């Protein structure tokens, strides 16, 4: 069979993600959870919220989990818990989703972008150390696409300079990190605080907005709980210890997340299977780089992201994929320092060449637990013919 005829049509429509199919497979469990919450009427801070926090904490190897309204609030709450002064600096990767920088900026803190590793897509430890000033208070690392930034190196930088380490783990829930001592720890639980998001498209997504904070420190967990709940200590209604937010995970979402958490391990394994098939098919294709693996981290493949040789090649491949019924996305086309909203920081094009180049050359392929081997083979075949053009 020629390459052209092999590409005649996808075996079944290929989607970036397929939540309806995922939900249909566990419909009875989800329905039961939904009905239960509806009938109890306990919509805010009902028992499912705490039960979900306990279950996710256990899944993450014994971390404290403080649910909140979304992943962006989680970042803001994490920074609030550091009790910083306006103008204090937070180092963030120049290549990330904007929420990472936004959480600092909205608090009057200064997001300071730093360069990323061109193969790992995550914060470069040497560039991070070089960005430290007398005002630096924290490093906000992002586990982009589903694997950890180099946490041993970043923890080292943070410790040497007396900085907090915060992990934006919105994309890497369930990934593990193996530290220098050989111990395996869950992504999001190495820093003082980790954050995550249950936005529907995340690896563990709810049916709306949701998020959580992760920490191994009981006192910090209590502090974060207060910050997310109007500054009110657990169980002490109408007494406000501090100024906080109203940032809660709905009981309904927590109940649905409890169901989905039971399947997260299998879904992660399915994503890893898809990634392995892409790797095998695309690893030696000239003109593109398959995702590199960070030593010490597992990869939960929130995204499977290729790097092309140039912007023109990337855009041509995306067009070719589209013409053959394969959706793809550029996460993210604009680096933090060149976002219009962050012009006030005073950066110029050319200051973070790696981040800028990644914005021009990355392309994420469909990856979700419902893709069949035939669909993955089809996508890979289309990528191959597209890369050869
Ligand atoms: C999704 C995401 C967020 C924001 O989460 P929301 O729940 O949408 O607020 C923050 N950081 C990263 C890296 C993300 O992928």
């Amino acid at each position: 069979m020629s390459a052209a005829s092999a590409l005649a049509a996808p075996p079944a429509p290929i989607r970036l993600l397929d939540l309806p199919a995922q939900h249909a497979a566990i419909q009875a469990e989800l329905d039961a959870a939904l009905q239960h919450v509806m009938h109890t009427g306990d919509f805010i801070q009902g028992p499912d919220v705490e039960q979900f926090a306990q279950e996710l904490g256990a899944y993450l190897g014994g971390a404290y989990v403080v649910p909140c309204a979304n992943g962006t609030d989680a970042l803001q709450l994490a920074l609030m818990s550091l009790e910083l002064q306006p103008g204090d600096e937070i180092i963030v990767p120049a290549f990330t989703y904007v929420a990472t920088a936004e959480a600092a900026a909205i608090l009057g803190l200064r997001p300071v972008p730093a360069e990323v590793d061109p193969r790992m897509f995550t914060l470069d430890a040497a560039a991070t150390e070089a960005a430290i000033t007398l005002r630096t208070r924290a490093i906000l690392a992002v586990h982009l696409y589903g694997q950890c930034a180099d946490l041993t190196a970043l923890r080292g930088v943070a410790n040497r300079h007396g900085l907090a380490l915060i992990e934006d783990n919105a994309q890497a829930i369930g990934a593990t990190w193996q530290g220098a001592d050989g111990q395996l720890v869950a992504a999001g639980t190495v820093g003082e605080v980790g954050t995550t998001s249950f936005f529907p498209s995340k690896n563990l997504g709810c049916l709306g907005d949701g998020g959580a904070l992760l920490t191994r420190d009981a006192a910090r967990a209590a502090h974060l709980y207060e910050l997310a709940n109007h500054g009110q200590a657990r169980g002490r209604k109408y007494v406000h210890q501090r100024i906080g937010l109203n940032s809660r995970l709905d009981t309904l979402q927590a109940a649905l997340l409890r169901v989905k958490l039971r399947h997260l391990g299998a879904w992660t394994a399915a994503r890893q299977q898809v990634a392995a098939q892409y790797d095998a098919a695309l690893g030696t294709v000239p003109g593109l780089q398959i995702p590199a693996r960070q030593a010490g981290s597992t990869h939960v493949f929130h995204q499977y992201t290729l790097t092309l040789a140039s912007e023109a090649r990337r855009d041509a491949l995306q067009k070719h994929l589209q013409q053959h019924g394969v959706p793809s996305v550029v996460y993210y086309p604009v680096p933090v320092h060149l976002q219009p909203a962050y012009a006030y920081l005073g950066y110029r094009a050319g200051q973070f060449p790696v981040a800028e180049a990644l914005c021009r050359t990355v392309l994420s392929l469909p990856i979700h637990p419902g893709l069949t081997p035939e669909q993955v083979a089809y996508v890979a075949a289309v990528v191959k013919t597209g890369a050869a053009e």
Side-chain angles (χ1 to χ4, degrees):
M1 194 158 57
S2 76
S5 65
L7 297 184
I14 292 169
R15 303 193 173 87
L16 279 169
L17 75 163
D18 196 349
L19 294 176
Q22 184 187 71
H23 295 156
I26 53 170
Q27 184 78 46
E29 289 174 85
L30 291 172
D31 281 347
L34 203 144
Q35 293 291 331
H36 174 73
V37 174
M38 195 158 67
H39 292 301
T40 61
D42 227 346
F43 299 124
I44 301 290
Q45 300 296 41
D48 282 293
V49 178
E50 182 54 27
Q51 281 158 357
F52 168 64
Q54 295 286 340
E55 289 162 6
L56 181 58
Y59 187 81
L60 299 177
Y64 295 96
V65 172
V66 179
C68 67
N70 58 68
T72 308
D73 274 13
L75 287 165
Q76 187 179 329
L77 290 159
L79 291 170
M80 286 168 75
S81 80
L82 302 180
E83 304 190 313
L84 304 178
Q85 298 302 312
D88 282 349
E89 296 175 3
I90 311 296
I91 297 176
V92 301
F95 184 64
T96 181
Y97 181 57
V98 74
T100 316
E102 189 178 38
I106 203 80
L107 292 171
L109 306 170
R110 187 177 171 84
V112 174
E115 194 60 287
V116 294
D117 182 290
R119 296 185 65 242
M120 304 303 165
F121 311 118
T122 51
L123 208 44
D124 180 274
T128 299
E129 191 151 32
I132 293 171
T133 74
L134 290 173
R135 293 301 301 269
T136 308
R137 296 293 178 265
I139 299 169
L140 209 180
V142 180
H143 300 332
L144 202 70
Y145 302 150
Q147 73 177 345
C148 296
D150 186 345
L151 285 170
T152 299
L154 291 171
R155 182 77 265 179
V157 174
N159 290 354
R160 276 199 294 286
H161 297 270
L163 309 175
L165 176 63
I166 298 178
E167 300 170 71
D168 180 345
N169 196 37
Q171 300 190 2
I173 194 88
T176 56
W177 178 256
Q178 186 165 33
D181 59 1
Q183 284 266 89
L184 276 187
V185 281
T189 70
V190 174
E192 276 77 1
V193 191
T195 67
T196 198
S197 163
F198 307 120
F199 186 87
S201 65
K202 305 287 158 126
N203 288 25
L204 177 61
C206 59
L207 277 62
D209 273 311
L213 293 129
L214 318 172
T215 180
R216 295 197 168 274
D217 179 333
R220 191 178 289 278
H223 184 177
L224 291 166
Y225 176 92
E226 290 176 18
L227 287 171
N229 291 274
H230 294 295
Q232 177 180 291
R234 210 183 281 269
R236 294 201 65 201
K237 257 193 155 177
Y238 309 122
V239 180
H240 303 277
Q241 307 291 343
R242 49 183 106 241
I243 297 170
L245 301 182
N246 171 16
S247 183
R248 298 177 294 226
L249 181 68
D250 290 347
T251 309
L252 203 51
Q253 299 298 350
L256 297 168
L257 283 164
R258 290 183 70 197
V259 171
K260 292 182 102 178
L261 179 60
R262 297 201 284 268
H263 301 277
L264 181 61
W267 289 335
T268 299
R271 286 174 178 273
Q272 289 166 335
Q273 194 88 44
V274 172
Q277 197 184 338
Y278 279 143
D279 278 352
L282 301 174
T284 57
V285 173
L288 63 81
Q289 276 287 325
I290 60 170
R293 308 298 198 275
Q294 169 68 52
S297 182
T298 58
H299 201 319
V300 297
F301 287 100
H302 178 58
Q303 301 298 341
Y304 186 93
T305 303
L306 301 176
T307 313
L308 280 294
S310 70
E311 185 171 23
R313 299 301 285 268
R314 191 270 308 273
D315 293 349
L317 177 60
Q318 185 166 35
K319 195 163 164 228
H320 177 84
L321 288 166
Q322 195 205 336
Q323 283 164 351
H324 289 86
V326 178
S328 63
V329 182
V330 175
Y331 300 110
Y332 298 92
V334 182
V336 168
H337 66 289
L338 300 181
Q339 292 286 358
Y342 296 86
Y344 75 95
L345 295 173
Y347 294 98
R348 284 168 286 102
Q351 279 184 283
F352 301 97
V354 175
E356 292 167 27
L358 289 175
C359 290
R360 290 191 293 263
T361 57
V362 291
L363 192 64
S364 296
L365 300 180
I367 187 162
H368 62 81
L371 285 175
T372 64
E374 293 72 30
Q375 288 177 311
V376 177
Y378 173 80
V379 173
V382 177
V383 170
K384 265 190 207 173
T385 55
E389 274 175 9

